[in-house]
Amino acid sequence: MYKFVYNIPTKVYFGSDQLSKLGKEIKKLGDRVLICYGGGSIKRIGLYDQVLEELKKENLEIFELSGIEPNPRVTSVNAGADICKKEKIDVLLAVGGGSVIDCTKAIAAATYYEGNAWDIVTKKVPVTKCLPIVTILTLAATGSEMDAGGVISNLETNDKIGVASPLMQPKVSFLDPKNTYTVSSYQTACGSVDILSHIIETYFNTEGSMYMLDCFMEGMMKTVVKYAPIAMKDPENEEARANLMWTSSWAINGFVRSCQHCSWSCHSMEHQLSAYYDITHGLGLGIVTPRWMRYILDEENAQRFRNFAVAVFGVDSKLDNMSAALEGIKRFEEFLFVELGLTSSLKELGIDRTHFDIMAEKACGNGVLKGFKELKKDDIKSIYEMCLVK
Ligand code: NZQ
Ligand code: ZN
């Protein structure tokens, strides 16, 4: 069990005034750079101008792909790959949140493929080569700045699918908490839930863990529970933004997953919600995760829930396992729906059971969703049903 490879090869510049290193870092990777960004937040916060200034200092040739959507579409990936092929791009620079970075990763791979990038996302063709990627993160959530995966949506087929390859790992990431000061209270809440979920998906596993990693995960979860409400109330609180940002990277960069299998149960269920209803990833996770917890909790696994409750929410350690577990889930719900103010049910989002059947089928890959507790299609449908009501 205690056997793993540690290899997290992203160089991180953390904190303010680090952007002066941007041009030189990109120059090492090539001269022709494609800047990828979203709907314009980077222009509103002045980051776009700063980036151009730094790139010009090194006389880099600059190209642009803008308008990458939240829940990025495969159409944007194809558009980006076309530019890369036509303009012989050497290096990609993603400036934005997880959606921008994910899309950029897929572009990096699709540049070396002549067909539709969807073939890569669906693993019909393997990732064989990628352009190098540099990122400037503006939203603490996905960890895409320091991991090897990305998630792409296809509106035609209502699919949202993850694709990963070590070749997609960013070479360099610039993490300045100040770039997240303008993230809305809602996106801060959703991003924080995403960070928490990445840890929860790893923490709840049947293979056990290492005591050291358990403590690390509990510390990261406590960090999110402490700082998310502060960042929402006081968006320019550097301590809060810095803690959330660095936790976002470490929650999913592979470190805590060193020696156990992680099944991404709640992510599989949430991705169907985003695919069919284009909802924010963290919001969907907030609705699904506590229902999943209530559905799978039993006498056998209550101890693990108890540890979570005591460590993260300070639940009384003298309670028996089941009582502590239930109290922990209740506190988690209060955190999500009262403190963070997230919508607590699918009904309130106008979502009904119309697509539950096909969503459940896709979530378990037409078989069994392995995880802390194995879930079949009917289990997943039951969890979606629980999500309907407040
Ligand atoms: O598009 P712009 O104008 O940039 O606005 C964005 C977008 O509207 C805005 N925003 C970003 N930084 C901002 C800002 N607004 C003001 N100030 C700033 N500094 O926030 C909105 C949401 O951005 P998005 O990138 O979609 O959010 P997030 O970082 O949460 O990314 C979500 C996507 O990542 C995927 C999700 O499924 C979803 O598609 N995930 C990626 C993972 C990975 N690569 O490992 C793992 C995750 O589990 C997740 O699935
Ligand atoms: Zn996530």
Side-chain angles (χ1 to χ4, degrees):
M1 177 183 155
Y2 299 119
K3 186 176 173 188
F4 54 84
V5 175
Y6 173 94
N7 183 17
I8 307 171
T10 299
K11 179 175 182 180
V12 172
Y13 286 95
F14 197 95
S16 306
D17 306 323
Q18 299 271 32
L19 226 48
S20 56
K21 323 285 190 325
L22 178 69
K24 285 203 166 47
E25 287 292 354
I26 291 190
K27 188 89 182 166
K28 286 183 208 163
L29 302 167
D31 289 321
R32 297 167 73 80
V33 50
L34 177 68
I35 308 177
C36 303
Y37 60 98
S41 69
I42 67 159
K43 289 193 171 167
R44 288 192 291 280
I45 67 176
L47 183 57
Y48 174 82
D49 290 339
Q50 258 178 287
V51 167
L52 285 195
E53 200 180 305
E54 294 301 332
L55 298 185
K56 281 176 187 159
K57 281 184 197 161
E58 295 295 328
N59 296 318
L60 294 161
E61 276 212 67
I62 302 165
F63 302 82
E64 284 190 27
L65 173 73
S66 62
I68 294 172
E69 314 83 357
N71 295 329
R73 323 290 196 230
V74 69
T75 44
S76 293
V77 179
N78 282 322
D82 286 346
I83 299 175
C84 292
K85 288 172 197 165
K86 183 165 164 254
E87 305 296 349
K88 301 202 169 16
I89 297 295
D90 298 316
V91 48
L92 297 171
L93 173 60
V95 190
S99 294
V100 168
I101 301 176
D102 284 6
C103 186
T104 306
K105 287 175 175 175
I107 292 169
T111 298
Y112 294 101
Y113 176 60
E114 284 315 316
N116 188 332
W118 194 242
D119 294 341
I120 294 176
V121 178
T122 53
K123 288 111 192 148
K124 234 182 249 165
V125 297
V127 177
T128 48
K129 201 173 170 189
C130 278
L131 283 171
I133 300 163
V134 174
T135 84
I136 302 175
L137 183 66
T138 65
L139 199 169
T142 64
S144 192
E145 67 277 7
M146 209 177 173
D147 76 13
V151 190
I152 302 299
S153 294
N154 185 331
L155 292 187
E156 281 175 24
T157 58
N158 284 121
D159 281 311
K160 180 169 177 179
I161 299 177
V163 55
S165 159
L167 299 167
M168 287 179 177
Q169 181 98 18
K171 302 276 182 231
V172 185
S173 283
F174 288 80
L175 274 54
D176 182 352
K178 291 197 168 118
N179 285 333
T180 65
Y181 284 179
T182 50
V183 175
S184 67
S185 172
Y186 168 71
Q187 286 292 347
T188 301
C190 291
S192 300
V193 176
D194 194 21
I195 302 170
L196 263 185
S197 171
H198 296 156
I199 307 163
I200 287 170
E201 299 267 35
T202 313
Y203 187 82
F204 290 95
N205 72 83
T206 49
E207 295 160 43
S209 179
M210 258 190 198
Y211 178 76
M212 172 270 193
L213 290 175
D214 280 351
C215 293
F216 192 86
M217 286 188 271
E218 287 162 3
M220 288 200 293
M221 288 190 275
K222 274 173 78 171
T223 302
V224 178
V225 169
K226 174 176 171 157
Y227 285 109
I230 297 175
M232 288 169 71
K233 282 188 202 94
D234 179 12
E236 302 200 1
N237 185 311
E238 191 177 2
E239 183 183 326
R241 293 296 191 182
N243 273 280
L244 290 174
M245 194 172 228
W246 201 216
T247 308
S248 115
S249 307
W250 278 86
I252 195 176
N253 67 8
F255 175 68
V256 293
R257 219 165 47 234
S258 304
C259 50
Q260 68 268 5
H261 178 74
C262 175
S263 68
W264 301 105
S265 308
C266 294
H267 273 67
S268 295
M269 290 185 269
E270 192 296 309
H271 282 168
Q272 310 316 318
L273 286 169
S274 292
Y276 278 84
Y277 299 100
D278 200 19
I279 66 169
T280 308
H281 176 59
L283 175 64
L285 288 171
I287 293 172
V288 167
T289 307
R291 272 65 177 222
W292 167 78
M293 287 179 162
R294 287 195 182 278
Y295 189 83
I296 65 163
L297 174 66
D298 62 22
E299 290 295 342
E300 231 172 273
N301 60 32
Q303 165 95 47
R304 193 72 175 156
F305 280 98
R306 176 190 176 282
N307 294 353
F308 165 79
V310 172
V312 182
F313 289 101
V315 168
D316 185 355
S317 62
K318 292 191 207 78
L319 290 175
D320 63 83
N321 284 348
M322 187 51 82
S323 307
L326 287 167
E327 181 61 21
I329 297 173
K330 186 169 148 263
R331 301 259 187 107
F332 181 40
E333 286 164 341
E334 283 163 5
F335 172 74
L336 295 167
F337 308 130
V338 181
E339 261 199 278
L340 301 188
L342 290 172
T343 303
S344 63
S345 72
L346 294 180
K347 212 176 223 162
E348 290 166 276
L349 298 175
I351 297 174
D352 60 18
R353 54 177 67 82
T354 307
H355 300 298
F356 281 0
D357 201 62
I358 180 76
M359 283 163 56
E361 205 166 297
K362 285 184 180 180
C364 63
N366 301 326
V368 177
L369 185 53
K370 290 189 188 295
F372 198 47
K373 201 164 190 172
E374 290 195 354
L375 301 172
K376 298 202 176 98
K377 183 179 161 183
D378 283 344
D379 297 309
I380 297 171
K381 271 173 82 173
S382 301
I383 293 172
Y384 284 142
E385 285 289 336
M386 290 166 77
C387 293
L388 282 175
V389 282
K390 266 192 180 185

